[in-house]
Amino acid sequence: MGVDYYSILKVDRKATDEDLKKSYRRLAMKWHPDKNPNTKKEAETKFKKISEAYEVLSDPQKRSIYDQYGEEGLKDMPPPGSSSNGFNPRNAEDIFAEFFGNSPFGFGSPGPGRSTGPGRSTRFQSDGGGIFGGFSSSETSFRSYSDGYPGNLTPRKPPPVESKLPCSLEELYSGSTRKMKISRTVVDANGNLVPETDILTIDVKPGWKKGTKITFPDKGNEQPNQLPADLIFVIDEKPHNVYQRDGNDLIMNQKVSLADAIGGTTVNLITLDGRNLTVTIDDIVSPGYELVIPKEGMPAVREPGNRGDLRVRFEVKFPTRLTTKQRARLRRAMGE
């Protein structure tokens, strides 16, 4: 069949007119060149494809021919009021303007016989003599929303919407995948605000810290005549009952008796990834003593394969009272 208009518009072959409008509106807003200044050439191509797909599938005659004969059938279809052969796609911006009028980007098609005014236009033409290299082609003009519009108005984009994403230290140690269900309002094909739910996937990377931001562009609420807000999730660390985080290091507090502090002891730990770690203490543990276990801290995001340290801080438990005999034994043991 050549070009698959249904795939381009992301609808199935039983799509209704309402389905087509809804899909066109969403895709056209996403891929309009003025909304993609950093990838404008790619956006222009996709925008033209989306517009052409909508033009064919929304027209019962064109759609019927396309369903029966595919792209080749449309090539032989004479344009309205013409005796020549070949489907000639409409100006992509004209279709866009039919949906949005003076669009959220602050521009609109001037329509036949009307001047574009002083604003500049960016024009492009597809390779291969026509859109998709088959149909006869007409130029499509995209006017920058900063030019050719009264007052040089630009669409307003609301500030991003931020939401905390609480994560356990275990998740930030090993990484995890979170599925977030969001509810928001969107503008449908008729310009009405309707509720919508969506599932967002967040891949939490090992070593991410509190304050790390994950941005989903244009996933905030939509409003007429403005751009949708971005949705930002901000990593927040849940308190842990054993470990505290200090940069890439982990800190834990360990209590030992005075006898163990002097005579040596063994500390058994469970790491954040579930390993059993046994540490033998041969040194005299004085108040404030800290044992550093290298490479047992959090992953270093900017240094793949590297980790911080685990710092064990000891608290010596002194007895509250001793008998006379215990005091004498302690003095003899200390050589006094």
Side-chain angles (χ1 to χ4, degrees):
M1 179 176 285
V3 178
D4 187 347
Y5 287 132
Y6 291 99
S7 177
I8 290 170
L9 211 56
K10 299 188 183 301
V11 295
D12 61 37
R13 301 185 71 84
K14 296 180 180 179
T16 64
D17 187 57
E18 193 64 29
D19 294 333
L20 297 174
K21 288 180 179 179
K22 183 177 180 180
S23 185
Y24 169 80
R25 185 188 184 284
R26 187 171 302 280
L27 293 173
M29 285 287 286
K30 178 180 180 181
W31 288 107
H32 194 284
D34 280 347
K35 195 179 177 186
N36 298 272
N38 296 327
T39 55
K40 195 157 189 172
K41 187 173 182 180
E42 177 191 4
E44 287 172 348
T45 301
K46 290 188 176 182
F47 185 73
K48 285 189 70 176
K49 290 179 181 179
I50 292 162
S51 299
E52 186 168 324
Y54 176 76
E55 179 183 357
V56 170
L57 299 182
S58 63
D59 184 298
Q61 183 183 5
K62 293 186 181 75
R63 184 172 179 176
S64 177
I65 293 173
Y66 175 73
D67 286 344
Q68 293 182 65
Y69 306 108
E71 180 185 358
E72 294 299 318
L74 288 173
K75 288 181 182 179
D76 297 330
M77 178 182 176
S82 171
S83 59
S84 61
N85 289 336
F87 163 54
N88 188 16
R90 294 175 58 199
N91 185 299
E93 189 183 338
D94 287 344
I95 297 175
F96 189 83
E98 288 177 1
F99 275 78
F100 302 102
N102 285 333
S103 77
F105 301 105
F107 60 83
S109 171
R114 294 168 59 187
S115 171
T116 61
R120 296 187 299 273
S121 297
T122 300
R123 294 181 179 272
F124 70 94
Q125 187 160 353
S126 62
D127 296 331
I131 189 76
F132 309 124
F135 305 149
S136 57
S137 174
S138 62
E139 269 191 341
T140 299
S141 170
F142 294 98
R143 284 169 290 284
S144 170
Y145 57 73
S146 62
D147 295 312
Y149 187 76
N152 284 337
L153 296 178
T154 59
R156 187 178 76 87
K157 188 178 181 71
V161 179
E162 293 194 358
S163 180
K164 287 185 178 181
L165 181 64
C167 296
S168 66
L169 271 182
E170 286 84 355
E171 289 177 300
L172 297 174
Y173 184 91
S174 301
S176 66
T177 299
R178 302 284 292 272
K179 300 285 187 179
M180 306 297 295
K181 183 176 182 180
I182 64 169
S183 298
R184 62 182 188 139
T185 57
V186 298
V187 181
D188 66 11
N190 297 318
N192 299 318
L193 292 175
V194 296
E196 179 185 78
T197 59
D198 200 357
I199 303 294
L200 304 180
T201 300
I202 301 176
D203 290 320
V204 178
K205 304 299 183 185
W208 274 3
K209 298 178 181 178
K210 180 178 181 178
T212 299
K213 295 184 176 182
I214 308 97
T215 301
F216 289 89
D218 303 335
K219 284 295 185 180
N221 290 328
E222 295 182 2
Q223 293 290 334
N225 301 320
Q226 71 177 30
L227 300 174
D230 294 341
L231 183 59
I232 298 178
F233 289 94
V234 184
I235 296 294
D236 192 25
E237 294 178 2
K238 295 179 182 178
H240 197 273
N241 59 357
V242 175
Y243 297 104
Q244 294 177 325
R245 185 174 185 175
D246 181 15
N248 291 329
D249 288 350
L250 289 173
I251 299 172
M252 68 166 294
N253 297 315
Q254 180 71 29
K255 292 182 178 180
V256 293
S257 66
L258 178 60
D260 287 340
I262 296 174
T265 187
T266 298
V267 178
N268 296 309
L269 311 173
I270 299 178
T271 62
L272 289 174
D273 57 350
R275 292 176 291 115
N276 291 313
L277 189 63
T278 300
V279 182
T280 301
I281 310 297
D282 294 322
D283 296 334
I284 301 282
V285 178
S286 57
Y289 177 84
E290 182 177 279
L291 175 68
V292 177
I293 306 174
K295 307 297 184 183
E296 286 293 346
M298 299 293 292
V301 175
R302 298 182 181 180
E303 302 174 45
N306 196 16
R307 294 181 181 274
D309 298 330
L310 171 59
R311 291 148 48 191
V312 184
R313 294 175 176 174
F314 287 89
E315 178 185 345
V316 180
K317 297 184 293 182
F318 285 83
T320 56
R321 59 183 298 277
L322 291 173
T323 65
T324 302
K325 186 178 293 186
Q326 286 173 326
R327 290 175 186 273
R329 290 176 179 174
L330 183 58
R331 287 193 178 95
R332 286 197 298 270
M334 300 297 293
E336 295 183 5

